[in-house]
Amino acid sequence: MTLKTLNVLKIILGNNKSRLIGPTKHTDYIRDKFKIREQNYFWSLAYKRRQWDGYKRYISEVGGLFSTGLLDQVVALLEKEGYKYKIEDTRQLFYPRHEVTDLGDLTLRKDQVEAVESFLSHKVAGVSFSRGIMAEATNTGKSLIAA
C-alpha cells in the first residue's frame, strides 16, 4: 500500500472557491502540478531580486484554495496519481434545477435541448457540476441555451 492511499485528501466544494485539504506533502505536490510560468517573468523586478520564481499557481499555498471551475481537472489529477479523495459539497444552490424547453415565445431546438441536458447532467466524481464552456458556432442560440 502506498503512502498516497493511506491519506485521504478532502475537497470542500464552494460556489466560487474550493479548498484542497490534506497532508502538506501531498497538497504541495498537487499544487505544484497546477502552476504555469508567467509570460515575460524574467523581466519582473521580483524575479530579478529572487523574491518570486516566475510561476503563477492556481492552488493557493495557504488554505489550498482554487477556483471551483478547476474541480474536474483537480479530480482528474488526483485519480491519475492514485490519490484517494473525498468531496464535501457546501455549495448553496440559488435556484431549483430544472430543464427549460421554451423561454417566452422562443422554443429550443433539439440540439439546444441536448446542450441544456448536458450541462444539467454533468457530474464530477459523482457530484453534480453544471459548469463548462459552450463552444457553439455563431447564431446557434448560446444565450438562449444559457438562460
Side-chain angles (χ1 to χ4, degrees):
M1 189 176 288
T2 66
L3 187 60
K4 291 179 183 178
T5 58
L6 292 175
N7 297 304
V8 176
L9 297 174
K10 184 176 184 180
I11 298 173
I12 299 176
L13 191 59
N15 285 341
N16 296 317
K17 293 287 185 183
S18 294
R19 184 179 305 262
L20 180 65
I21 299 173
T24 305
K25 177 180 178 180
H26 302 300
T27 55
D28 284 351
Y29 176 78
I30 299 300
R31 183 175 169 266
D32 197 49
K33 294 290 187 179
F34 282 88
K35 70 179 184 180
I36 60 169
R37 279 276 191 194
E38 284 281 355
Q39 186 176 3
N40 297 322
Y41 67 93
F42 42 83
W43 297 111
S44 166
L45 192 57
Y47 180 77
K48 289 178 180 180
R49 290 182 178 168
R50 299 180 189 265
Q51 297 169 336
W52 176 51
D53 62 0
Y55 285 100
K56 175 173 178 59
R57 290 177 172 78
Y58 291 95
I59 300 177
S60 71
E61 185 173 4
V62 178
L65 290 174
F66 63 93
S67 294
T68 299
L70 293 174
L71 177 67
D72 54 346
Q73 295 171 21
V74 170
V75 166
L77 179 66
L78 292 175
E79 289 176 352
K80 177 184 171 198
E81 297 291 331
Y83 284 101
K84 289 192 176 196
Y85 62 91
K86 185 170 60 171
I87 297 177
E88 181 183 324
D89 192 353
T90 62
R91 295 175 296 171
Q92 298 175 349
L93 297 178
F94 301 108
Y95 53 88
R97 295 177 183 210
H98 62 280
E99 185 179 325
V100 176
T101 56
D102 60 347
L103 189 64
D105 60 342
L106 301 173
T107 303
L108 274 71
R109 297 185 309 269
K110 183 182 175 190
D111 59 316
Q112 292 171 324
V113 171
E114 288 173 4
V116 170
E117 289 172 355
S118 177
F119 270 106
L120 293 178
S121 65
H122 182 66
K123 293 186 184 288
V124 173
V127 176
S128 178
F129 194 69
S130 55
R131 292 184 184 199
I133 297 173
M134 191 180 335
E136 297 290 335
T138 303
N139 208 23
T140 56
K142 293 181 290 290
S143 297
L144 185 59
I145 293 169

